[in-house]
Structures are given as C-alpha cells and as structure tokens.
Amino acid sequence: MKAVQMFAVKDLRVNEVEKPCPAPDEVLLKIYAVGVCGSDIPRINKKGPHVLPIIPGHEFAGQVVGLGEAVTGWSIGDKATVAPLIPCKRCVCCKGGLYSLCEDYKYYGSRNDGAFAEYLAVKSENMIKLDEKIPYDWGATVDPAANAIHAFIRGNITEKDSLTVFGMGGIGLFAIQYGKAIGIKTIIAVDINDQKLEAAKDCGADYIVNSRREDAVVRIRELTAGEGTSAVVEMSGSPIAQVQAVLAASKMGRIVYLGISNSELTYPKEAVDRILRGQLSVIGSWNSFSSPFPGREWLEAASFMAQGKLNPDKIITHRLGLEEVPEVFRKIDQEPFYFNKIIFYPHGK
Ligand SMILES: [Zn+2]
Ligand SMILES: [Zn+2]
C-alpha cells in the first residue's frame, strides 16, 4: 500500500509499504481522510517523533475492511473515526480514569504508525462509530472537536457562561461552534489573523477581535459592560494571550489553557491581583480523553456532527491527495502559507 513515512526531521517520503494485518483485538481500516494536527507540525518539521521511521497522522476516519478474530461489535463496511491514544491502563491516572494523563501511553502517528497511509490496523476499543451521514473528512476532525469539548469539561463551561476564545486554529473554531451549539449567548473570538477571524465569525462568534490591531482586554471589557467573560479558553499557546486570558475573565471566572507554549509565562502585577481579588481559576486542559475510554468528548463530537451542530466544512481549508503530504509540510516550514485544517484523502476525494 501507499504510505508517507518519516525518516528524520523534515524528511517525509511517499513509499510502498506492506499493508498491515489486524491483530486479534484490531480492525483493519481503509483510511479515507486524515488531517494535519497542530502537533504534527513541530513533530515533523522540528522535534521529531518518538520512533523513526514512522508513518505520522492521527486525526483520521475510514471504513472497516478487516476484523481481528476477537473483535465484537463491528462489521465490514462500518464507518469509524479513531481515538489515537493507547493508554497503559496500569498507571495511577489510568486507574482513576484520567486517560489523558497516562504516564506510559502509545499513540497512533507519533509512537506507533499512523494514518498517512491507505490502511491502518487499530484497536477496536479506540474506534467511534460514525453516522452514515457524516462524511469521512468530517470524521477525521472528531479529534480536534473532542479536544475543544474536553476544555469545556475542564472549565465546567455551560450555556450560562459568556465566553472568550483565544486562537482560531481548528480547536478554537470548534470551541466557537460548540459554545454556540450548547447555547452560549456571547462568544468573543480573538486572533491576530483576519482570515482566521472571518472563519470564527462564520462559525458563530458574536464578536471578533484582532489583538494585533487593538488591545484585546480593553475591547473584551467594552463588550461585556466592563466585567470580562465568565469563561476564557486559551488555544494559541502564546504567553501574551495567556496573560490577556486572565485579564479578560470576570470575577469568579475560569480560564482554561489548552494551547501548548513550551515557554515561560510571567504574570504582570495586574493579572496576579485579578486572580486573587477576582477569585479566578486557571485550569489546564490536556488532550481529549475521559472515562469510559475514549470518553464523552468523542461521542459528543461525533453526535453533534451527525446532528449538524458542528460543521467541519467551516474549518477545513485544504483537501489534498496523500502524495502531497511532503510538499505541504515543506510549504508550512518555508513559505507564508495560510491554512486551517488540512485534509488528505488516501483513496481520492
Ligand atoms: Zn492531534
Ligand atoms: Zn496509563
């Protein structure tokens, strides 16, 4: 079969490799759509994965074409997406149902071969059934949607909240759509890119703020009668936005950090005061899993898509063939290249 293998940082090659054979607890999936995750970009262009060579790609959907002998509940022809984490189920976190925090996990596309390929064998317990109505490329975006929902669960964000979302990548745009779907009345989107902010408006944001052109905190307070929003989700990982997220929260507000920064964060005095005197909660959100595995995040994302409450077409910007994977990662690395969710179709569109 055709697959994209990574041999070193910035070294991706489209190769002919052996088609996988499902183990007893696995299903063979014919991969119809696979997305680029924000985490794939540093993994492929900068840091490298945990093992080499590897087939990257962990946001995907496909059709069941083979069944291991111990698999039950699945039939040939079923449509599915796959939670990429393989938790150890032995560590303290796994035993407490906190699979996102597993200390000894495997992962399709970073520690095990992934889905930049025509086929992949996956554990049946990682699979989420997709409604017939859901196109495969939508199915490939259940992962970022589940990440957004996990942040809502972490921050206990409900329809009673007002919400600011910083960072309009795929997860940020799903957060806007999900916030609207659960009935939040006021949602403010913040980014530094006008094209991404237009997408946010299309996804349902009530207000958009370009924080490169105006002071996001001043604007958010203006829009909320001086109070700020009761929930703030920070998806960009930028330390500037992490500080602004605190300053944008109302008293008793919850700030959820999801965007990965890999850098230090210094709070100015005003932010420290606000955390103390406003009794703010600053909360971390990691990945998308809960108990029972893979979690309500995945079921809800898939079911909201089936009901048309989440619309990945508003987030997907590129639809390409598998052979274009190496060139896309080169472009991301070397050129000014606007994109949001990029989807590859290993068997054609
Ligand atoms: Zn991912
Ligand atoms: Zn574990």
Side-chain angles (χ1 to χ4, degrees), residues 88-89 91 94 102-103:
C88 77
K89 297 200 176 155
C91 71
C94 281
C102 174
E103 276 150 28

Side-chain angles (χ1 to χ4, degrees), residues 4 63 66 146 160 307:
V4 179
Q63 187 179 39
K160 293 194 195 82
Q307 297 169 62

Side-chain angles (χ1 to χ4, degrees), residues 87-95 99 101-105:
C88 77
K89 297 200 176 155
R90 287 186 309 269
C91 71
V92 175
C93 295
C94 281
K95 285 197 169 138
Y99 300 111
L101 309 183
C102 174
E103 276 150 28
D104 188 23
Y105 60 90

Side-chain angles (χ1 to χ4, degrees), residues 85-214:
L85 175 82
I86 305 167
C88 77
K89 297 200 176 155
R90 287 186 309 269
C91 71
V92 175
C93 295
C94 281
K95 285 197 169 138
L98 299 169
Y99 300 111
S100 272
L101 309 183
C102 174
E103 276 150 28
D104 188 23
Y105 60 90
K106 294 189 170 173
Y107 215 85
Y108 294 116
S110 75
R111 297 173 187 228
N112 296 40
D113 277 338
F116 285 170
E118 290 179 313
Y119 297 89
L120 180 64
V122 295
K123 288 189 181 295
S124 65
E125 71 160 354
N126 284 56
M127 293 166 55
I128 304 289
K129 208 161 269 180
L130 294 177
D131 190 283
E132 263 316 303
K133 288 197 294 276
I134 301 181
Y136 284 108
D137 49 10
W138 285 33
T141 68
V142 168
D143 176 312
N147 272 272
I149 295 171
H150 190 73
F152 277 67
I153 295 172
R154 291 290 303 137
N156 193 21
I157 302 170
T158 70
E159 79 283 356
K160 293 194 195 82
D161 284 299
S162 51
L163 174 67
T164 301
V165 183
F166 284 83
M168 292 300 117
I171 301 176
L173 292 176
F174 272 126
I176 304 271
Q177 291 192 14
Y178 184 74
K180 276 293 152 190
I182 64 169
I184 294 179
K185 291 197 184 62
T186 303
I187 302 185
I188 304 170
V190 184
D191 201 283
I192 54 173
N193 179 301
D194 285 327
Q195 246 173 308
K196 289 192 173 173
L197 287 167
E198 279 312 310
K201 207 190 260 174
D202 194 33
C203 286
D206 299 287
Y207 304 100
I208 55 174
V209 179
N210 186 322
S211 57
R212 188 158 271 168
R213 277 204 303 274
E214 56 185 331

Side-chain angles (χ1 to χ4, degrees), residues 5-306:
Q5 285 182 299
M6 175 175 183
F7 290 90
V9 169
K10 298 185 195 184
D11 180 2
L12 293 174
R13 298 178 217 164
V14 183
N15 279 338
E16 203 53 46
V17 303
E18 208 162 313
K19 186 170 161 183
C21 187
D25 63 343
E26 288 180 335
V27 161
L28 184 64
L29 269 194
K30 185 172 181 181
I31 308 300
Y32 278 105
V34 54
V36 175
C37 171
S39 73
D40 288 325
I41 296 165
R43 185 175 297 122
I44 288 170
N45 285 342
K46 220 158 96 190
K47 293 192 291 199
H50 293 267
V51 286
L52 283 169
I54 193 169
I55 301 172
H58 63 263
E59 298 181 355
F60 57 102
Q63 187 179 39
V64 176
V65 293
L67 296 163
E69 63 244 34
V71 172
T72 54
W74 289 93
S75 312
I76 301 292
D78 282 347
K79 216 176 214 192
T81 186
V82 177
L85 175 82
I86 305 167
C88 77
K89 297 200 176 155
R90 287 186 309 269
C91 71
V92 175
C93 295
C94 281
K95 285 197 169 138
L98 299 169
Y99 300 111
S100 272
L101 309 183
C102 174
E103 276 150 28
D104 188 23
Y105 60 90
K106 294 189 170 173
Y107 215 85
Y108 294 116
S110 75
R111 297 173 187 228
N112 296 40
D113 277 338
F116 285 170
E118 290 179 313
Y119 297 89
L120 180 64
V122 295
K123 288 189 181 295
S124 65
E125 71 160 354
N126 284 56
M127 293 166 55
I128 304 289
K129 208 161 269 180
L130 294 177
D131 190 283
E132 263 316 303
K133 288 197 294 276
I134 301 181
Y136 284 108
D137 49 10
W138 285 33
T141 68
V142 168
D143 176 312
N147 272 272
I149 295 171
H150 190 73
F152 277 67
I153 295 172
R154 291 290 303 137
N156 193 21
I157 302 170
T158 70
E159 79 283 356
K160 293 194 195 82
D161 284 299
S162 51
L163 174 67
T164 301
V165 183
F166 284 83
M168 292 300 117
I171 301 176
L173 292 176
F174 272 126
I176 304 271
Q177 291 192 14
Y178 184 74
K180 276 293 152 190
I182 64 169
I184 294 179
K185 291 197 184 62
T186 303
I187 302 185
I188 304 170
V190 184
D191 201 283
I192 54 173
N193 179 301
D194 285 327
Q195 246 173 308
K196 289 192 173 173
L197 287 167
E198 279 312 310
K201 207 190 260 174
D202 194 33
C203 286
D206 299 287
Y207 304 100
I208 55 174
V209 179
N210 186 322
S211 57
R212 188 158 271 168
R213 277 204 303 274
E214 56 185 331
D215 184 324
V217 175
V218 169
R219 182 76 185 121
I220 291 160
R221 291 203 189 147
E222 258 171 32
L223 291 168
T224 53
E227 285 182 21
T229 56
S230 59
V232 183
V233 187
E234 204 303 296
M235 308 292 200
S236 75
S238 142
I240 296 169
Q242 288 171 334
V243 170
Q244 289 176 333
V246 168
L247 296 174
S250 63
K251 287 182 177 171
M252 294 300 287
R254 290 95 63 218
I255 300 101
V256 182
Y257 287 170
L258 181 151
I260 301 169
S261 76
N262 283 322
S263 55
E264 281 181 21
L265 174 61
T266 306
Y267 282 136
K269 172 183 167 302
E270 192 196 357
V272 177
D273 270 1
R274 192 142 180 113
I275 291 171
L276 292 169
R277 302 170 75 104
Q279 296 199 150
L280 304 186
S281 305
V282 180
I283 299 158
S285 183
W286 189 251
N287 223 320
S288 55
F289 307 99
S290 59
S291 183
F293 184 78
R296 168 196 143 192
E297 296 87 335
W298 288 77
L299 299 175
E300 203 170 359
S303 117
F304 272 39
M305 283 182 197

